[in-house]
Amino acid sequence: MFQDFDEVSDPTLGPERVAKLRQWLAANGLDGFIVPRADEHQGEYVPPGSERLKWLTGFSGSAGVAIVLASRAVIFVDGRYTLQVRDQTDPETFAVESLIDNPPPKWIEANLGKGVRLAYDPWLHTIGDVKALSKAAEKSGADLVPLTANPVDGLWTDRPSPPLAPVEIHPIAFAGELARDKLSRLAAAIAKDGATHAVLTDPSSIAWAFNIRGADVPHTPLALGFAVLAAEGPHLLFMDKRKLPMKTEAYLTQLADLRPPSALESEITALAKNGARIALDPVLAADRLRTLVAEHGGVVVSAADPARIPRATKNSAEIAGARAAHRRDGAAVAKLLCWLDGQAPDTLDEIALVTKLEQMRRATGEETQMPLREVSFATIAGAGPNGAIMHYRVSTATNRPLKDGELFLLDSGGQYQDGTTDITRTVPIGKPTDEMRTRYTLVLKGMFQISMLRFPAGVRGSELDAVARLALWKAGLDYAHGTGHGVGSYLSVHEGPQRLAKTGTEKLLAGMILSNEPGYYKPGSYGIRLENLILVTPTEELPDGDIAMHGFETLTLAPFDKRLLRTSLLTRDELHWLDEYHARVMREIGPMVGGEVLAWLEKATAPLPRDDKD
């Protein structure tokens, strides 16, 4: 199994650990310390030794920040984790704040006083983060103090060592472009930005640029490291050689000079002393890199990671791989849903479903000679009220049976060498209520509207997010997460910079893959989320149109549960889209299943009746 169900956060450890941190701060003349859920690479998934926020607080979510002061402590989370954080942290120790509505800079400005010395680890905060924190501290009269060593690391006596998973070469058949050609493109982009060098801090960009994959963090095939790319001359790759097999090391030495990670600071310093103009992404790069360049005579060029847009706009090989991965994954999900339909309520629990789905994915991968490499994230399997916890993660302590009359939300994905998948379906266990059916249909209408949308080329994701919410808004309902995130090609399931959200400021370009996942969550009762992955594609020119238009191709292939539909709430266009989608599901994954599953799939994808009696 790729997932550990015994991992449980213990909120009772927080008070003791916070007390030890406070003792350290007092002994070092400091009044507070900021602990982000981050590593030096700002990745969503971090190695065990970088889970400092979890160690200190008990909170295991993928986004959060804690500020510990002498007499108070606060933890900031976004809307996905408002329920989870209260279960995992000690309420007497940590107050909970919104990472969105009252983020750390705003809180610091309002709560810190003159002379307060608030410390931070400059390797764990981006250039942009530190700029905002410094501005807030200045307004409050406080001092923001960078540290050379993280105090949590000193207190964490059994902290895990850095990972050393083997690095492999990603085949050209799936990458679609040679690494040397990618690096040439990036070198030209660096020069265009007015820089002599650029530091790649995002392991996804390094994996894409060098056509390598690793296994240093959970669920995402990344090899942790840094790269310094040159507009002219040799590139530098900072990666522990202990995780480079002979073949991989020989391959990489043809593309860059290899250095140990410990040499990064000295190499940056040397370049800066020679007057280098070094590009750093203010959203991704650690502030420590900025100070290294600035303090040693170099010039910091503020520029986006040059690999982010090329990586996000998939080439023809990556798109073909994504389509194949989704057919394979859809067949596995269909097998699971068919099996689930044959089980009686109250006979299964969440862990059983997660385990069964992984077995289905493994078996289908073996049948198609494309093995499941990993799950793309910890499966969200929420029965009843657990489904209302947006990023719920089942454990042996929270495991819940699938009970009659409840909903079951299943959000999962796979990592295959040809693509990354992410799919959510919500199904009834027994007979659903009218309210469940109505709200499920409203969520589905939001998905339909995104799926059918045509939009001008260059539109940003923030301009489309509301489209998915309109049906819910009309009913006085909403959801506290974005409508969609970017997805990589056998890389991160949550890839930037593309997204369908209020914060989606990047233009949507042909070749980008995103999720389409509206939802509705009723705390203490149930959750509904429906998710397909979609590909941005150019559309045919309209006879009377005069601008280039884009649309979305749906990649995910699995039926929606018609028992939860109220067809009277669907328009003719929506009914037509659903029937066409189900026909495509049957056409593309039907040949990959047989027997009982094929019979189930034929029924699940049959056209809907055209009447209002639902």
Side-chain angles (χ1 to χ4, degrees), residues 337 340-341 407-408 425-430 432 437 440-441 444 530 558-566 578 582 600 604 608:
L337 294 175
L340 178 57
D341 254 11
L407 295 183
F408 177 63
R425 291 295 185 264
T426 302
V427 299
I429 305 302
R437 295 177 63 225
Y440 177 96
T441 306
L444 189 58
L530 301 169
F560 296 98
D561 201 302
K562 292 184 287 189
R563 293 169 295 183
L564 281 167
L565 275 177
R566 295 197 64 188
L578 183 56
H582 276 161
W600 175 90
L608 289 162

Side-chain angles (χ1 to χ4, degrees), residues 271-293:
L271 288 172
K273 286 181 177 179
N274 288 325
R277 297 176 58 84
I278 300 178
L280 297 172
D281 189 328
V283 177
L284 294 173
D287 192 63
R288 175 59 178 159
L289 295 171
R290 178 193 62 81
T291 58
L292 280 173
V293 175

Side-chain angles (χ1 to χ4, degrees), residues 120-123 145-150 265 288:
Y120 70 99
D121 182 341
W123 272 111
V145 183
L147 300 180
T148 56
N150 194 306
E265 290 201 18
R288 175 59 178 159

Side-chain angles (χ1 to χ4, degrees), residues 392-461:
Y392 169 71
R393 180 175 177 179
V394 61
S395 69
T396 51
T398 65
N399 189 28
R400 193 174 190 280
L402 278 61
K403 296 182 179 180
D404 192 19
E406 294 186 340
L407 295 183
F408 177 63
L409 186 155
L410 185 62
D411 185 349
S412 68
Q415 291 282 15
Y416 307 93
Q417 201 170 24
D418 56 355
T420 301
T421 69
D422 184 1
I423 173 175
T424 309
R425 291 295 185 264
T426 302
V427 299
I429 305 302
K431 185 177 180 180
T433 66
D434 287 343
E435 178 188 274
M436 292 173 178
R437 295 177 63 225
T438 296
R439 295 183 180 182
Y440 177 96
T441 306
L442 295 177
V443 171
L444 189 58
K445 284 172 72 71
M447 172 180 275
F448 289 158
Q449 292 308 308
I450 293 293
S451 304
M452 298 188 294
L453 198 60
R454 295 174 71 104
F455 52 93
V459 156
R460 291 168 170 79

Side-chain angles (χ1 to χ4, degrees), residues 313-325:
T313 49
K314 312 300 186 283
N315 60 41
S316 58
E318 292 170 322
I319 291 171
R323 289 170 178 151

